[in-house]
Amino acid sequence: MFPKLMKSPLNPSTQFSAQRSSRLIYPSRRRFLMASAAALSGVMLSNCRQNLSSVDSSDSAESSANNASGSSDTLHVYTWSGYTDDEMINAFTEKTGIDVVVDLYDSNETMLARMQAGGGDAYSVIYPSEYMVQEMIELNMLTEIDHDRLSNYGDIFFDQWQDPAYDPGNAHSIPFSWGTTGLLYNKAQLSDPVQDWQYLWEHQDELSNRMTLLDDMRETIGAVLKSLGYSINSTDPEALEEAYQRLRDLTPAIANFQSFGFEDQILGGDLLMVMSYSSDAIPVTLENEDLDYIVPESGASLWTDTIVIPKTAPNVDAAYEWINFLLDSEVAKTSVENLYFATPIKPAYDQLSDELKQNEDLFPPESVLAQCEGLAPVDDATELYERYWTQLTSA
């Protein structure tokens, strides 16, 4: 394992809000707090308009969507919690003159349900994960991307994202970030080294009420499938039944199904083990050297989040402006330095320090990636997944 990363120094040209706290801000897989993107605008941001609306309740999102218009100077974005912040929004507005309103969702399934119900007609940009891109393509919900309108497109992506299986040729989506899913744990308080998912069952008594799993149906059931030697995308009813039974055996020891907000609990010692996205885990390990992150030996999820334009988008021109802004190598580089998302953009990767490039939590070696899988649609088996998940989380 390479040495732990230190926080990267901030770009001296970065403009920060006076209200930003000096304490560590925990990034997450669903956070895009790129304050130094403000440098791209070439202007001071102290007098910028505060035009960001970030609401995480479905009722507020619905209200925003229903009241939105297709105004050419407003862009409505539907994204994960924290993938935008005031500084980045203001930089984009100063650069383009386009105001941005952001509504939030907490899962791919929540987003899809809203779009299918007609509550998402206001949004011109959405951030689905790779398997959801496939589902939305099959449902004829996405606009084909005009690559000629993306000034930075070219061959900027690493090979695996130039023609991804979930969207060949990036015809309907643009890769935005990637990472792994694994286990964050306190090595100083656990009796044995952690190497695989099996540890959860073998040390269930030791971990009882001091571990959490992701509040994500596909990720958590997929991890148990991998622990049993199956594909993370298995649709075999017998495999799913086995995974369900194994997860049910573990449920009494699980403190919570929780995707975010675990940082203070594991730093304070209340939790010993957390199933986590890599971009959530890495900054926590930097705060406490007793905390480590691993991708289990039997494999895990290798996730990609993307940017898409729905067919119902009222402001396609603004959507392309937004995507061009985020494809800028300086913006992408900053997201890696500050938030520990791995970037699929080669020019951004090339600008990173050797310390970042060599960190195996952020950029795992091929031997680790070979054991991982991207999530894919499970088609008719979705109903079975949902039934098992409901039984587990409502017990």
Side-chain angles (χ1 to χ4, degrees):
M1 182 66 66
F2 285 88
K4 291 294 182 183
L5 295 170
M6 300 298 292
K7 276 285 192 182
S8 300
L10 297 172
N11 187 320
S13 63
T14 300
Q15 305 298 323
F16 283 95
S17 162
Q19 291 78 25
R20 184 171 291 264
S21 169
S22 61
R23 71 183 289 274
L24 174 64
I25 297 176
Y26 296 113
S28 85
R29 175 186 171 186
R30 308 303 183 189
R31 293 206 171 105
F32 190 54
L33 309 175
M34 294 195 323
S36 55
L40 299 175
S41 67
V43 296
M44 295 295 290
L45 298 180
S46 57
N47 296 320
C48 287
R49 290 165 289 177
Q50 295 300 310
N51 49 42
L52 173 63
S53 170
S54 291
V55 289
D56 55 8
S57 73
S58 58
D59 290 342
S60 297
E62 183 172 7
S63 175
S64 175
N66 289 340
N67 293 324
S69 69
S71 172
S72 61
D73 59 0
T74 302
L75 173 68
H76 288 259
V77 175
Y78 199 21
T79 186
W80 299 94
S81 176
Y83 257 19
T84 56
D85 75 345
D86 288 338
E87 286 81 3
M88 191 267 281
I89 294 292
N90 286 330
F92 174 78
T93 298
E94 289 297 318
K95 182 180 178 68
T96 64
I98 300 170
D99 289 329
V100 179
V101 176
V102 177
D103 288 333
L104 308 176
Y105 56 84
D106 58 7
S107 73
N108 282 288
E109 288 70 27
T110 296
M111 176 273 293
L112 180 63
R114 181 165 301 284
M115 298 302 293
Q116 289 180 308
D121 289 354
Y123 303 112
S124 296
V125 170
I126 305 176
Y127 286 66
S129 300
E130 68 287 270
Y131 76 96
M132 187 54 64
V133 171
Q134 290 179 270
E135 291 193 27
M136 296 179 81
I137 291 172
E138 292 173 1
L139 293 168
N140 197 31
M141 298 178 70
L142 302 183
T143 298
E144 288 193 25
I145 300 293
D146 182 354
H147 295 153
D148 290 338
R149 298 188 64 176
L150 300 178
S151 58
N152 293 331
Y153 187 74
D155 60 352
I156 67 170
F157 300 112
F158 285 104
D159 290 345
Q160 56 265 51
W161 287 281
Q162 288 187 18
D163 190 31
Y166 62 82
D167 182 22
N170 292 311
H172 300 85
S173 65
I174 298 298
F176 171 66
S177 61
W178 68 275
T180 59
T181 302
L183 293 171
L184 172 68
Y185 63 97
N186 191 319
K187 62 186 178 184
Q189 295 190 43
L190 294 179
S191 57
D192 295 311
V194 180
Q195 297 178 319
D196 202 6
W197 299 111
Q198 185 64 31
Y199 192 99
L200 304 180
W201 286 267
E202 293 176 347
H203 295 77
Q204 184 168 338
D205 291 342
E206 181 182 8
L207 295 171
S208 183
N209 291 315
R210 302 185 73 182
M211 66 173 163
T212 63
L213 299 183
L214 287 175
D215 187 16
D216 187 305
M217 176 183 76
R218 291 297 312 280
E219 287 277 9
T220 297
I221 295 178
V224 182
L225 286 167
K226 292 295 286 186
S227 76
L228 293 167
Y230 299 116
S231 167
I232 201 171
N233 301 305
S234 178
T235 59
D236 180 357
E238 293 185 2
L240 291 174
E241 168 71 15
E242 188 178 354
Y244 164 69
Q245 293 295 343
R246 189 168 206 224
L247 190 50
R248 192 176 70 167
D249 291 342
L250 188 65
T251 300
I254 299 173
N256 200 5
F257 289 96
Q258 181 177 5
S259 296
F260 310 113
F262 57 79
E263 294 89 352
D264 287 341
Q265 293 170 287
I266 196 164
L267 284 166
D270 294 328
L271 293 175
L272 298 178
M273 180 87 72
V274 170
M275 182 183 178
S276 172
Y277 303 113
S278 56
S279 50
D280 292 342
I282 294 170
V284 182
T285 65
L286 303 183
E287 180 139 341
N288 186 338
E289 63 181 9
D290 288 335
L291 299 179
D292 263 340
Y293 171 79
I294 65 156
V295 176
E297 290 180 349
S298 57
S301 166
L302 177 64
W303 50 263
T304 299
D305 285 339
T306 75
I307 307 173
V308 303
I309 303 174
K311 282 197 170 182
T312 54
N315 198 342
V316 173
D317 290 341
Y320 278 105
E321 291 275 10
W322 181 262
I323 296 172
N324 273 315
F325 181 77
L326 297 182
L327 287 181
D328 185 282
S329 61
E330 181 64 28
V331 174
K333 168 179 172 287
T334 302
S335 70
V336 178
E337 293 174 336
N338 293 349
L339 301 172
Y340 310 105
F341 291 130
T343 179
I345 300 174
K346 288 192 295 185
Y349 176 84
D350 290 342
Q351 295 175 43
L352 295 174
S353 68
D354 288 342
E355 183 181 20
L356 282 168
K357 292 178 183 177
Q358 294 169 359
N359 182 273
E360 293 188 351
D361 293 343
L362 183 60
F363 296 104
E366 287 300 322
S367 58
V368 171
L369 295 178
Q371 301 301 315
C372 297
E373 294 180 80
L375 292 172
V378 290
D379 302 324
D380 292 342
T382 299
E383 183 178 352
L384 188 55
Y385 273 85
E386 291 175 346
R387 183 164 74 247
Y388 284 148
W389 185 246
T390 300
Q391 292 172 0
L392 289 163
T393 56
S394 61

